Amino acid sequence: MNISSLISFLFLFFSILNVDANGQPNFIVTSFGAVADGKTDSKQAFANAWTKACQTPGGVVSVPAKNTFLLSGGEFVGPCNGLTVFQIDGTLVASTDPKLDDLKYWITFDNVDGLNVVGNGVFNGSGPSSWAQCRSSSNCKNRPTSLKIHAVSDATISGITSLNSKMFHITINNSKNVRIANVQITAPADSPNTDGIHISKSSYVDITESSIGTGDDCVSIGDGASNVNISGVACGPGHGISIGSLGKYAGEQDVSEITVSNCNLTNTDNGLRIKTFAPSMSSNVVSDVTYSDIALNNVKNPIIIDQHYCPNRACNSGGESGVQINGVKFINVHGTSATRLGVSLQCSKTGPCQDILFSGLQLTVGGGSPATASCSNANSRFLSSNPSGCT
Ligand SMILES: *[C@@H]1O[C@H](CO)[C@@H](O)[C@H](O)[C@H]1NC(C)=O
Ligand SMILES: *[C@@H]1O[C@H](CO)[C@@H](O)[C@H](O)[C@H]1NC(C)=O
Ligand SMILES: *[C@@H]1O[C@H](CO)[C@@H](O)[C@H](O)[C@H]1NC(C)=O
Ligand SMILES: *[C@@H]1O[C@H](CO)[C@@H](O)[C@H](O)[C@H]1NC(C)=O
């Protein structure tokens, strides 16, 4: 037997040994040297398992249940040779070493066409160790996002839990056809900038049947997002479901075809929010946004369009936003506001909001009297709604 046939024989033998119940080639991280003690950095073992799975059509990186692996970081980069599966049934835990807080991301999936990140496992971002600096001083640095999905298409993320990210939990950028289902995203209400899922420059993104409770937006939709469908999401605590901030940077892309349906928001700061900077650096358009069948429970700002967004008062207060908001429907939005003001539409003086429709809106102040609506520069209609119009 010559060397090359020996190698192919061994490869075949190896492949046959490592198949899961579906007959997929299964690359178990412990076979690559990962140590399930929660203390030994298994970064290299995971990288090696990924390389194998990525080369193999249908290849599976397998993280076994009841095992905890410390991962200082993970860069899972394609292109791959067909569908690649990251089957996580155990727990990955991020390092608490403050030096690693300077990284922008903990775990990255990049340049993969056909990706499944599935299982009942946990991404534990070890956030508490790095939130402290933001609580104790105003000098709060950026920290790593737990899961970065970049340049990925035809992906499913399901079943997993993301716990206590240092900064954002999941970002989806420059991607298309991404389905997120049955995920749990959790961080305390007072954890800084722990947004649940941030979507930008991506299309055909579905988020369904998931629960998200964080210290910032449950879902935030940035520039260049289109055909996003959020359905069956329970949000809270957190800052609600947001489009924006938009207009902070030059050259931002439009946001269109966003639907949010059958969602619950409980004890959140905001409910359904669109925010744009004033003055703005770009003049992108937000169009065709539909919110339907939304239950709000004790939400401070239930419905808010704020085109004068300027955190930390860092902007020139005289400017207006050039971001155009056009076509936003609120169908059967109901529940309780924690404040008197249930609807606040503060649109741009230079580009008023167009075609804002409320149908079947029912908002009360804590279950008592109807909430009020306050609007400026907004072209709006209220049908069968309470509040029944702007005051
Ligand atoms: C998450 O990781 C931290 C260590 O950073 C650990 O103390 C905590 O128990 C873990 N939580 C879970 C639920 O695994
Ligand atoms: C999103 O991806 C694009 C294209 O790769 C890149 O230019 C941009 O910097 C990314 N944005 C973020 C927030 O990472
Ligand atoms: C959004 O997703 C839900 C659940 O999968 C589905 O019923 C609904 O038709 C979708 N809506 C749009 C506009 O795609
Ligand atoms: C929202 O709350 C209602 C009533 O409690 C419940 O039936 C529904 O399943 C909840 N939906 C989600 C997405 O949690």
Side-chain angles (χ1 to χ4, degrees):
M1 201 182 269
N2 66 24
I3 288 288
S4 77
S5 56
L6 178 64
I7 287 172
S8 15
F9 173 76
L10 284 176
F11 184 77
L12 190 65
F13 183 67
F14 198 75
S15 316
I16 288 165
L17 264 189
N18 293 275
V19 294
D20 68 10
N22 302 319
Q24 301 296 343
N26 206 350
F27 302 98
I28 303 169
V29 292
T30 43
S31 322
F32 290 80
V35 182
D37 62 0
K39 295 189 181 82
T40 308
D41 186 7
S42 293
K43 182 179 179 180
Q44 193 56 51
F46 273 69
N48 294 346
W50 171 265
T51 301
K52 279 292 197 185
C54 178
Q55 283 165 357
T56 310
V60 181
V61 173
S62 173
V63 183
K66 303 193 179 84
N67 285 266
T68 299
F69 300 95
L70 174 70
L71 217 57
S72 61
E75 284 177 32
F76 305 123
V77 180
C80 295
N81 203 353
L83 175 72
T84 308
V85 180
F86 196 93
Q87 172 80 38
I88 168 171
D89 295 309
T91 296
L92 303 186
V93 60
S95 169
T96 53
D97 181 350
K99 285 200 288 290
L100 296 174
D101 284 1
D102 293 335
L103 297 174
K104 287 179 87 171
Y105 302 97
W106 175 34
I107 291 170
T108 296
F109 291 95
D110 200 350
N111 199 19
V112 185
D113 182 2
L115 172 71
N116 289 350
V117 179
V118 295
N120 299 314
V122 179
F123 292 87
N124 178 350
S126 298
S129 67
S130 64
W131 298 333
Q133 52 140 332
C134 291
R135 293 212 181 99
S136 63
S137 84
S138 56
N139 178 19
C140 174
K141 289 186 306 183
N142 280 350
R143 290 145 278 133
T145 284
S146 277
L147 220 53
K148 171 187 178 181
I149 309 290
H150 176 257
V152 165
S153 58
D154 297 315
T156 297
I157 299 174
S158 82
I160 59 141
T161 295
S162 177
L163 173 70
N164 292 347
S165 54
K166 289 178 176 171
M167 205 150 114
F168 291 8
H169 284 266
I170 300 175
T171 60
I172 299 170
N173 181 33
N174 196 28
S175 295
K176 70 167 195 270
N177 294 330
V178 179
R179 290 166 300 278
I180 298 188
N182 299 301
V183 302
Q184 286 74 46
I185 297 179
T186 309
D190 64 348
S191 57
N193 310 111
T194 51
D195 291 53
I197 303 174
H198 180 71
I199 304 162
S200 57
K201 296 184 171 61
S202 297
S203 56
Y204 299 96
V205 178
D206 270 22
I207 303 174
T208 57
E209 311 308 325
S210 293
S211 78
I212 307 178
T214 68
D216 210 302
D217 294 336
C218 289
V219 180
S220 58
I221 296 172
D223 87 291
S226 67
N227 293 92
V228 174
N229 183 4
I230 300 168
S231 175
V233 168
C235 163
H239 297 181
I241 296 177
S242 280
I243 296 178
S245 320
L246 297 172
K248 187 177 184 182
Y249 302 105
E252 288 187 4
Q253 298 165 13
D254 294 347
V255 172
S256 65
E257 306 290 345
I258 310 294
T259 65
V260 180
S261 60
N262 294 301
C263 292
N264 288 349
L265 295 97
T266 305
N267 299 329
T268 52
D269 280 6
N270 308 290
L272 311 172
R273 174 166 64 157
I274 303 178
K275 52 179 174 168
T276 77
F277 273 79
S280 62
M281 297 301 290
S282 56
S283 46
N284 36 334
V285 177
V286 178
S287 63
D288 297 304
V289 178
T290 303
Y291 303 98
S292 62
D293 302 304
I294 309 289
L296 301 165
N297 184 13
N298 193 38
V299 173
K300 284 190 195 125
N301 304 297
I303 294 178
I304 176 167
I305 297 182
D306 178 7
Q307 292 213 265
H308 300 97
Y309 183 71
C310 180
N312 312 322
R313 301 197 160 74
C315 336
N316 164 4
S317 56
E320 285 294 318
S321 177
V323 176
Q324 177 68 55
I325 297 174
N326 190 354
V328 185
K329 295 187 175 69
F330 298 88
I331 316 290
N332 295 326
V333 175
H334 52 92
T336 57
S337 175
T339 64
R340 232 169 78 77
L341 188 60
V343 177
S344 175
L345 309 180
Q346 307 305 323
C347 297
S348 170
K349 205 179 288 176
T350 52
C353 294
Q354 300 300 329
D355 193 15
I356 311 293
L357 172 70
F358 295 90
S359 177
L361 171 70
Q362 296 298 334
L363 275 182
T364 60
V365 184
S369 53
T372 60
S374 156
C375 319
S376 65
N377 309 308
N379 175 340
S380 61
R381 283 186 302 152
F382 289 70
L383 307 176
S384 312
S385 290
N386 226 333
S388 56
C390 300
T391 52

